Amino acid sequence: MTVALTPAAGWVRIDVKVDGVKAGLRCRLDVVDKRGMHVQAGSWLVSATGEKQGTKLNGTALVAPADVSSVDVVTFDGQTLVSVPIL
């Protein structure tokens, strides 16, 4: 997964490309703060095209830019598929 994070006034915008996720999975895009709290920035159903070519997503989360710890892809069943640390 590639992540571009854009700070805003007290929140963040994110643009990601997610590769390697199987078609049919219901996923959410979470921004995780330094305390471990997950804030959902979007969700989607992985398509056959998304499985083969990746899925591009953008979203927003009410997390202060300095407090972002990671951006995660999590299934609706709670399995973290990928986590990208934000330094």
Side-chain angles (χ1 to χ4, degrees):
M1 178 168 73
T2 58
V3 176
L5 188 80
T6 305
W11 54 283
V12 292
R13 293 180 182 96
I14 57 173
D15 294 292
V16 301
K17 182 170 184 233
V18 182
D19 294 306
V21 180
K22 291 187 178 221
L25 282 178
R26 295 170 8 137
C27 298
R28 67 176 196 258
L29 186 62
D30 285 357
V31 175
V32 183
D33 73 12
K34 292 180 178 177
R35 293 170 299 174
M37 185 173 109
H38 287 240
V39 176
Q40 186 173 322
S43 60
W44 76 104
L45 175 65
V46 180
S47 67
T49 301
E51 178 180 359
K52 293 176 185 170
Q53 298 176 6
T55 303
K56 291 183 182 182
L57 303 159
N58 54 36
T60 61
L62 187 56
V63 177
D67 291 339
V68 176
S69 175
S70 68
V71 176
D72 296 0
V73 172
V74 182
T75 67
F76 276 38
D77 294 332
Q79 179 185 8
T80 300
L81 300 178
V82 64
S83 179
V84 174
I86 305 297
L87 305 174

